[in-house]
Amino acid sequence: MKTISLEGQVAVVTGASRGIGRAIAEEFIRAGANVVVNYNKTPADELTALAEKEGRRAVAVQADVSKVEDCEKLIDTAVKEFGKIDILVNNAGITRDGLLMRMDQNAWDSVIETNLRSVFATCRAASKHMMKARSGCVINISSTSGIMGNPGQTNYSASKAGVIGFSRSLAREIGARGIRVNVIAPGFIQSDMTSGLADKLKEEVAKQIALGVFGEPADIANAALFLASPMARFITGAVLVVDGGMAM
Ligand code: NAP
């Protein structure tokens, strides 16, 4: 049986305390990676315990990725702890939904800073180390909202479309140094981010999904594991849509 291994790899996952980020960190640990698990408010201690059980090491680092200096601290800590970064997953994200007419500047700025500026700051810091190593893998989490648009999400859609443009440009900039940069665009996934949606809206959304159901964080984690692995060695600048057939 062929298994995907990340043995010996060091990964940084932002927003790893809950939801999709947590599932990605778990999957990477089980595949043999040592992982820096970033959190902001929710502690990620359970992941350090899981890593120990699996014979790996996970280090939890508090950093508010909406702040550039925190992003730099996160990457510096990873390099100090493990001596290198092989994989960077930018997963941390927020929504502050509202129609544009009623959207205040804070709702715009906070979403752009958390979802997009963080990607600039962590990639800038991590790519220096990856370029020296002449290898590396970046996975940025976007959204189908960044592809299709979604009413009430001009801020969120702009941030997630920005993640795609940023990632494709970076893939072209540093591909020759052996660094791959890819995007995962999830559709509707069961997590704290979507748990508050009204049942009626969930039913309406499910009708737009070919497979008829919401995905689970593990569905995104499996895609991330594939993109991080040597099986994806010739894939860069790609946007892998994982949405049960919604955005097609
Ligand atoms: P979630 O359950 O709300 O979890 C969000 C995670 O991001 C938490 O771990 C949170 O940590 C972290 N985070 C938020 N602000 C942060 C900050 N300033 N600094 C560091 N960490 C921060 O969301 P999710 O559903 O797992 O979403 C994960 C990613 O997938 C996001 O980028 C989201 O936009 C994207 N996505 C989700 C869906 C979906 O349907 N769920 C669809 C498309 C794309 P704390 O608890 O410590 O604040």
Side-chain angles (χ1 to χ4, degrees):
M1 193 177 76
K2 192 168 183 175
T3 52
I4 297 183
S5 169
L6 297 181
E7 189 83 40
Q9 305 274 298
V10 174
V12 176
V13 182
T14 70
S17 52
R18 296 184 281 125
I20 292 171
R22 185 192 162 113
I24 293 172
E26 281 181 9
E27 197 63 39
F28 282 12
I29 289 166
R30 292 208 170 92
N34 292 322
V35 182
V36 173
V37 290
N38 158 247
Y39 66 98
N40 185 25
K41 292 176 186 149
T42 315
D45 300 332
E46 283 169 37
L47 285 169
T48 54
L50 171 75
E52 212 170 297
K53 210 173 117 206
E54 295 282 329
R56 313 289 162 202
R57 211 172 138 230
V59 176
V61 179
Q62 194 284 328
D64 176 352
V65 298
S66 70
K67 298 184 176 136
V68 171
E69 60 275 20
D70 276 27
C71 292
E72 288 168 351
K73 180 189 84 177
L74 173 65
I75 300 301
D76 282 354
T77 308
V79 173
K80 273 190 201 118
E81 289 286 338
F82 293 108
K84 62 171 184 167
I85 298 176
D86 299 299
I87 303 158
L88 168 65
V89 181
N90 275 301
N91 162 80
I94 57 166
T95 52
R96 288 279 302 274
D97 295 354
L99 296 175
L100 180 66
M101 300 280 267
R102 289 199 284 269
M103 187 179 290
D104 62 30
Q105 192 185 332
N106 188 263
W108 174 267
D109 288 345
S110 59
V111 168
I112 298 293
E113 284 164 15
T114 306
N115 297 5
L116 181 58
R117 193 173 68 185
S118 62
V119 174
F120 149 75
T122 57
C123 285
R124 188 178 60 171
S127 62
K128 286 177 194 154
H129 301 284
M130 291 178 173
M131 279 169 74
K132 268 191 213 144
R134 298 192 77 84
S135 79
C137 167
V138 177
I139 299 169
N140 294 325
I141 306 298
S142 175
S143 167
T144 48
S145 291
I147 298 170
M148 304 166 72
N150 200 16
Q153 289 200 317
T154 50
N155 51 357
Y156 183 75
S157 301
S159 73
K160 293 301 188 179
V163 165
I164 294 174
F166 172 93
S167 303
R168 287 183 164 156
S169 294
L170 186 62
R172 289 184 188 277
E173 269 183 39
I174 60 181
R177 301 289 189 105
I179 305 164
R180 298 183 295 109
V181 185
N182 289 298
V183 172
I184 298 174
F188 280 84
I189 305 296
Q190 288 172 18
S191 74
D192 293 343
M193 191 174 269
T194 51
S195 62
L197 297 176
D199 287 345
K200 184 115 187 68
L201 179 63
K202 283 186 188 165
E203 278 168 31
E204 287 305 312
V205 168
K207 283 185 201 153
Q208 309 301 316
I209 303 172
L211 294 179
V213 289
F214 280 30
E216 292 172 10
D219 296 316
I220 308 305
N222 286 330
L225 179 61
F226 164 68
L227 285 175
S229 78
M231 290 180 79
R233 62 181 283 272
F234 200 52
I235 300 178
T236 195
V239 179
L240 179 51
V241 177
V242 183
D243 69 346
M246 183 181 69
M248 65 183 175

